[in-house]
Amino acid sequence: MRNQYITIGFCLLALCSMVVASRVRAGQAAKYLGPCDLAASKDGKMLYIAFADAKQIAFVNIRSGKVTRSIATPAKPTGLTLSPDGRSLYITCASAESTILVIDAASGEVNAAITTGHTACGPVVTPDGKWLYVCNRFDNDVSVIDLKTNKEVTRVPAIREPLAAAVTPDGKSLLVVNHLPADRADTSDVAAVVTIIDTQSNATTTIRLPSGASGLRGICTSPDGKYAYVTHILARYELPTKQVEYGWMNANALSVIETREKKLLGTVLLDEMYLGAANPWAVACTTNGKWICVTHAGTNELSVIDATALLEKLLAMPVNPEPYQVGEVLYDDRNELLDYFRRLRATLRGKPEESGELYTLGSAAGVSNDFSFLAGLRRRIKLKGKGPRGIAVIGSKAYVAEYFSDTLGVVELESKSPSRVSGLALGPKPQLTNQRRGEMLFNNAELCFQHWQSCASCHPEARVDGLNWDLINDGIGNLKNTKSMLLAHKTPPAMSSGVRESAEMAVRTGLKHILFTDPPEEDAATIDTYLKSLEPVPSPYLVNGQLSPVAKRGKKLFFSEKVGCSKCHAGPLYTDMQMHDVGSKSPCDRRRDFDTPTLIEVWRTAPYFHDGRYTTVKELIIKSRCGKQRSNVELSEQQINDLVEFVLSQ
Ligand code: HEC
Ligand code: HEC
């Protein structure tokens, strides 16, 4: 039996090393490394870094700063994590059918490859080392993998684009961030949620973040497991998009969740009154629980937050009249709980703090509007590299994957001196092509007045945030759902009301009227180059890359004379690039006709229509005139389902 395993293992290894050998050659040709995520070895001597562009995992010796080993991955690595014993490394390699590589953390050998869903990311191993959870971003679910057999045993549904996860130290709950809201966009409460999976039963509950919460990215739990921290954008989408200087467009936030109670304790702003801290990405705590670190992809910064002081201040907000429970302990009296935090803080600071002022400003609900909430509790540290993303903390040092500069940021958290920030080159200095420079500018909030937001705040990965905005380019009070940049340059005019004759023009007016900047024309042109380079992601509705039989039936209907979708959704991009009245005017709109949108990638751009009123394509076909161009055409339930399947397969 043992021999048999060894033989199988050997064959697998031989196969994998063949794959690896061929990929390394391809990898060497890659222009960029694109470090996006990292994990520290158990002894704190090594960092494992995922290079998204080079499709590699690098082992970096922290002392020497040298890459000691690199392993090719079969697809773009999106995340990695270590088993609790530090022996195995799990890497999510994203594609329509993702591969999870299981690698020996000491030797770098590939021990197994597990297949999961569409665009795997956010791997997490339970503290007992028995289960691996992986977010399947575009299947909207989470794979549960038994690490004894390296087999996926089930999938647990999430809500929309699960991106990252964290497990509580007792292993009982897995908290999953859903990147985007799943709501219709034309209401006053649109928010993304955190899904909590009970790891015993796989039952789920959700925690709704405050209205405007979108672009959720990172999550971690506090070392004692009582809290989880979630990074996200907090959009003031209901307000007209002016007065960015008051944080009245996109603010940037950290939400604090009480894991046991499964509820939101509060949402604090990471921005300051006159200086935004845009695009919060990853979050990590130091193992002593003292600091919460947040990377800001838009402003190239690291926020270092005093965890105890933050919790103490949040808990002091007058909200909860009921007895309060934290972990196993029930506090009858709120003051008792606050005392607990005061003591904790005093111990961490190494000196008893008697005074421990109580913070009584405002209420918990008001916190998400208070730009001074973190004053005195947080340091903002400028990093040397560009595009900070994943973060790993070892002792009192934070290591940051700096995506655009191919560097590793190193920050000494206990030092107040800015000189304790360094950058380590992970490869040769990248020579940026126009396309790469455009991508960097699109993600750069330093372009924006007071650094509040980047283009990517509303267009994450150059797609959509699921929200409506009042961009004022077509009058005030008529909000429009954010459009994807995919194919924008090939399908003029731009904007759903066609007010910009081309995407080029929309890019330039976006820079001017949304970021309040006027960069040189070369910069705007690089953004065009980047946006034109976007490729559609294969639909999760395809089966082995092909239309399913249901979608094939739908295709016939779509192109039929009788149903007639292709009259307007014509040609390979499914748009005639004309304005049509499909009865979608809302009372606020100034016009009846709207630009016919492309249907490519429509599976990921909900909600639908210019005002985001439909959450599903099925609802759109049933309720809108898109599905009823002629009064004499009645579609059966099956025909509707067939059409939906076809549309979502694009
Ligand atoms: C505050 C949110 C927000 C920000 C920030 C933002 N956009 Fe947009 N963008 C939108 C919305 C909403 C639309 C759709 C408007 C409409 O249909 O009238 C849009 C549409 C576009 C379009 C037209 C797409 C098409 O196919 O019609 C382009 C191009 C565009 N944006 C580029 C950019 C660029 C470049 C930036 C950064 C300079 C940017 N946007 C920043 C919200 C935003
Ligand atoms: C007369 C032209 C016309 C016909 C015929 C038509 N559509 Fe549309 N379609 C439009 C227009 C215009 C919009 C945008 C409406 C808006 O934004 O308010 C649209 C929007 C859509 C959207 C939403 C896309 C998005 O990104 O929000 C889908 C999905 C869609 N149509 C599918 C269909 C299907 C399926 C059919 C056939 C049953 C169909 N359409 C027939 C013109 C048409």
Side-chain angles (χ1 to χ4, degrees):
M1 195 61 187
R2 228 195 118 125
N3 276 342
Q4 200 182 340
Y5 275 130
I6 292 172
T7 320
I8 294 171
F10 183 76
C11 292
L12 192 68
L13 279 183
L15 191 75
C16 290
S17 35
M18 265 153 60
V19 174
V20 169
S22 68
R23 297 290 170 162
V24 168
R25 276 193 293 276
Q28 281 162 351
K31 284 196 207 79
Y32 310 111
L33 302 174
C36 64
D37 196 16
L38 71 178
S41 67
K42 209 168 163 145
D43 61 9
K45 292 186 176 156
M46 186 86 87
L47 282 172
Y48 307 102
I49 310 183
F51 291 160
D53 293 288
K55 300 199 181 109
Q56 285 175 10
I57 301 302
F59 287 31
V60 176
N61 181 306
I62 292 175
R63 255 182 105 160
S64 68
K66 293 260 166 356
V67 175
T68 57
R69 192 185 291 277
S70 40
I71 300 164
T73 56
K76 183 175 161 174
T78 48
L80 75 186
T81 193
L82 215 57
S83 57
D85 65 9
R87 290 202 190 146
S88 303
L89 193 59
Y90 302 96
I91 301 149
T92 48
C93 308
S95 62
E97 250 193 7
S98 302
T99 306
I100 316 303
L101 287 187
V102 184
I103 288 182
D104 184 307
S107 69
E109 268 155 24
V110 180
N111 288 330
I114 308 162
T115 305
T116 61
H118 202 315
T119 309
C121 48
V124 169
V125 180
T126 50
D128 61 9
K130 290 186 176 157
W131 302 94
L132 170 68
Y133 291 87
V134 167
C135 300
N136 298 307
R137 179 171 184 179
F138 295 130
D139 283 338
N140 299 324
D141 59 21
V142 177
S143 290
V144 184
I145 295 159
D146 182 345
L147 290 177
K148 259 204 297 285
T149 55
N150 284 334
K151 289 250 150 55
E152 177 182 82
V153 291
T154 188
R155 298 267 189 106
V156 182
I159 303 294
R160 184 174 183 190
E161 295 195 20
L163 212 55
V167 67
T168 51
D170 61 10
K172 287 186 179 156
S173 305
L174 185 84
L175 292 95
V176 180
V177 295
N178 291 285
H179 186 48
L180 297 179
D183 305 315
R184 62 187 290 179
D186 58 343
T187 73
S188 56
D189 185 9
V190 186
V193 302
V194 173
T195 300
I196 302 191
I197 301 174
D198 177 329
T199 54
Q200 302 288 301
S201 65
N202 287 335
T204 59
T205 43
T206 57
I207 299 178
R208 202 173 164 81
L209 298 188
S211 181
S214 182
L216 280 60
R217 285 276 174 198
I219 185 165
C220 75
T221 54
S222 58
D224 62 9
K226 291 175 182 166
Y227 300 97
Y229 306 107
V230 179
T231 52
H232 59 93
I233 283 169
L234 194 63
R236 323 279 191 195
Y237 64 90
E238 284 182 281
L239 299 165
T241 49
K242 44 185 214 169
Q243 305 201 4
V244 67
E245 70 271 31
Y246 296 118
W248 282 5
M249 284 172 80
N250 279 307
N252 301 284
L254 183 76
S255 279
V256 183
I257 287 170
E258 293 176 298
T259 53
R260 210 184 145 91
E261 295 74 7
K262 298 190 172 59
K263 71 184 205 345
L264 180 69
L265 175 63
T267 295
V268 298
L269 296 179
L270 296 162
D271 311 290
E272 288 168 88
M273 189 60 95
Y274 299 110
L275 191 62
N279 306 97
W281 197 281
V283 55
C285 290
T286 51
T287 39
N288 64 4
K290 192 169 171 186
W291 305 114
I292 306 165
C293 302
V294 175
T295 55
H296 295 276
T299 53
N300 303 310
E301 287 175 295
L302 182 74
S303 276
V304 183
I305 302 166
D306 180 334
T308 323
L310 168 71
L311 293 169
E312 190 178 302
K313 191 168 174 182
L314 264 181
L315 286 161
M317 290 289 133
V319 257
N320 202 330
E322 291 158 19
Y324 219 87
Q325 197 177 348
V326 176
E328 309 286 23
V329 192
L330 190 72
Y331 294 91
D332 293 338
D333 181 341
R334 204 172 173 76
N335 285 328
E336 234 184 279
L337 179 67
L338 290 170
D339 263 349
Y340 161 76
F341 277 110
R342 229 170 286 144
R343 281 198 309 276
L344 189 63
R345 189 159 77 153
T347 347
L348 284 171
R349 283 193 181 155
K351 54 172 187 190
E353 197 189 62
E354 298 302 322
S355 65
E357 355 103 62
L358 278 176
Y359 303 95
T360 48
L361 283 168
S363 72
V367 172
S368 60
N369 292 314
D370 181 357
F371 284 108
S372 60
F373 194 82
L374 285 181
L377 311 184
R378 182 268 304 263
R379 278 173 290 153
R380 289 177 73 162
I381 297 170
K382 200 77 182 171
L383 295 165
K384 299 224 184 306
K386 299 274 182 237
R389 296 199 168 174
I391 185 168
V393 176
I394 306 175
S396 65
K397 281 205 173 91
Y399 297 88
V400 179
E402 295 168 335
Y403 179 75
F404 288 113
S405 49
D406 285 351
T407 49
L408 180 71
V410 187
V411 178
E412 172 54 69
L413 300 172
E414 296 293 347
S415 161
K416 296 218 156 47
S417 141
S419 65
R420 300 312 295 268
V421 182
S422 49
L424 183 74
L426 294 166
K429 192 169 187 281
Q431 299 300 311
L432 301 184
T433 57
N434 279 344
Q435 178 184 322
R436 188 65 158 187
R437 214 175 116 66
E439 183 186 356
M440 191 166 86
L441 292 175
F442 194 83
N443 283 277
N444 184 2
E446 287 170 332
L447 279 185
C448 178
F449 176 67
Q450 293 181 358
H451 303 184
W452 290 100
Q453 60 189 0
S454 62
C455 304
S457 297
C458 295
H459 301 288
E461 277 98 45
R463 271 38 178 223
V464 301
D465 58 2
L467 299 172
N468 280 357
W469 290 95
D470 198 358
L471 293 185
I472 346 189
N473 53 27
D474 52 358
I476 209 158
N478 48 354
L479 283 70
K480 297 291 183 318
N481 195 230
T482 301
K483 291 187 73 116
S484 170
M485 304 288 94
L486 179 71
L487 299 168
H489 286 77
K490 286 198 175 149
T491 58
M495 308 302 184
S496 48
S497 48
V499 290
R500 304 284 179 228
E501 71 189 33
S502 66
E504 281 84 351
M505 187 171 270
V507 166
R508 283 147 189 81
T509 50
L511 286 162
K512 198 159 177 187
H513 300 298
I514 305 182
L515 300 191
F516 301 90
T517 182
D518 205 357
E521 167 55 29
E522 306 93 84
D523 286 0
T526 63
I527 295 182
D528 290 326
T529 310
Y530 161 58
L531 298 177
K532 285 179 192 166
S533 76
L534 299 170
E535 302 260 3
V537 171
S539 164
Y541 292 83
L542 294 174
V543 181
N544 300 324
Q546 305 294 318
L547 290 182
S548 68
V550 177
K552 279 186 188 146
R553 289 201 304 263
K555 182 177 181 180
K556 283 202 186 110
L557 289 168
F558 188 92
F559 288 100
S560 70
E561 177 65 22
K562 189 177 116 185
V563 181
C565 309
S566 59
K567 283 199 192 81
C568 307
H569 297 287
L573 303 182
Y574 300 102
T575 168
D576 60 2
M577 300 187 221
Q578 301 298 314
M579 311 284 287
H580 292 283
D581 177 3
V582 288
S584 62
K585 180 184 183 302
S586 79
C588 309
D589 288 317
R590 311 267 157 101
R591 58 191 308 147
R592 319 194 64 83
D593 56 341
F594 294 94
D595 182 35
T596 306
T598 171
L599 299 181
I600 307 283
E601 261 196 17
V602 82
W603 55 269
R604 79 183 277 194
T605 59
Y608 303 111
F609 268 13
H610 68 282
D611 59 356
R613 74 181 72 167
Y614 300 123
T615 53
T616 63
V617 169
K618 182 162 186 178
E619 190 188 358
L620 176 146
I621 292 181
I622 293 170
K623 294 188 181 159
S624 88
R625 243 171 57 198
C626 261
K628 296 189 193 66
Q629 279 300 307
R630 295 187 189 166
S631 49
N632 58 349
V633 177
E634 275 296 332
L635 295 171
S636 69
E637 174 75 17
Q638 195 208 318
Q639 285 176 318
I640 291 172
N641 290 340
D642 293 352
L643 257 181
V644 169
E645 189 81 5
F646 173 68
V647 170
L648 290 174
S649 300
Q650 300 314 308

